[in-house]
Amino acid sequence: MNRLRDKIRDIPDFPKPGIIFKDITPLVKDPATLRLSVHQLLQPFLGRNITAVAGMEARGFIFGSLVAWELGLPFVPLRKPGKLPYDVQSVSYDLEYGSATLEAHIDAFDANDHVLLIDDLLASGGTAKASCELVEQLGAKVEACAFVVELDFLKGREKLKDYEVHSLLHY
């Protein structure tokens, strides 16, 4: 995992003072570490009853779509408001530095779907918890959540206590 860790850079005071942003762009710029991160994200879920992958806007799209492609499964984007053209279900939630809303098409999942949620970062857990709620409101089951980076000191995992959580890097 040191190969991945070496490709994550810290950006102080972004998006606001006091926050140290974990920048994954050097990781996704390097095909070898991007491939490694995708394979490590999906490894615990091989052979499991997963029928769809969902990713949170925006960096979750990068990893989620690649995991879905590798598994041969559909990818469902969980988007910011106003970005989807069809009827949507939405959920609003608090972030560590504000509030936000995620949406998905009302027909994004089937009732029998078992969903793997993917994002680049687990911080306070607000986005991940809201994503789980959105998937469940649409009638599917959250099988697990997987992240490239987890900020342990923000205790986001506590909000996901009802779900299996897999993170590649811990800070």
Side-chain angles (χ1 to χ4, degrees):
M1 290 302 154
N2 284 338
R3 283 179 53 202
L4 298 181
R5 190 176 301 277
D6 291 345
K7 296 292 183 175
I8 308 279
R9 77 177 145 207
D10 290 344
I11 307 294
D13 299 321
F14 184 83
K16 69 180 215 177
I19 293 175
I20 299 174
F21 185 81
K22 296 295 184 189
D23 182 12
I24 56 122
T25 55
L27 185 150
V28 298
K29 180 181 175 185
D30 178 42
T33 54
L34 178 57
R35 184 177 297 114
L36 175 62
S37 65
V38 168
H39 287 168
Q40 292 301 312
L41 281 170
L42 67 84
Q43 190 65 36
F45 309 106
L46 292 174
R48 298 267 296 269
N49 184 28
I50 294 171
T51 59
V53 177
M56 297 80 125
E57 190 159 333
R59 293 173 303 274
F61 293 177
I62 298 167
F63 296 99
S65 62
L66 290 170
V67 166
W69 182 76
E70 285 285 339
L71 293 172
L73 296 173
F75 175 73
V76 176
L78 306 181
R79 305 261 358 230
K80 293 177 182 174
K83 302 291 185 180
L84 293 170
Y86 187 59
D87 295 335
V88 297
Q89 177 74 36
S90 64
V91 63
S92 296
Y93 59 100
D94 292 326
L95 292 166
E96 53 275 11
Y97 49 84
S99 62
T101 300
L102 285 175
E103 296 181 339
H105 282 148
I106 59 170
D107 61 355
F109 301 106
D110 293 326
N112 295 328
D113 273 333
H114 292 255
V115 179
L116 174 60
L117 283 169
I118 304 277
D119 205 358
D120 69 319
L121 180 79
L122 175 59
S124 67
T127 302
K129 178 66 172 165
S131 296
C132 291
E133 291 171 2
L134 182 56
V135 167
E136 291 167 347
Q137 286 174 13
L138 290 167
K141 179 185 186 309
V142 175
E143 187 72 21
C145 303
F147 306 93
V148 177
V149 172
E150 183 173 346
L151 303 178
D152 296 332
F153 65 94
L154 291 176
K155 302 183 188 319
R157 188 176 284 253
E158 291 177 6
K159 288 186 181 169
L160 301 175
K161 65 184 180 312
D162 296 329
Y163 306 97
E164 179 181 349
V165 176
H166 170 60
S167 299
L168 302 183
L169 300 171
H170 294 266
Y171 291 92

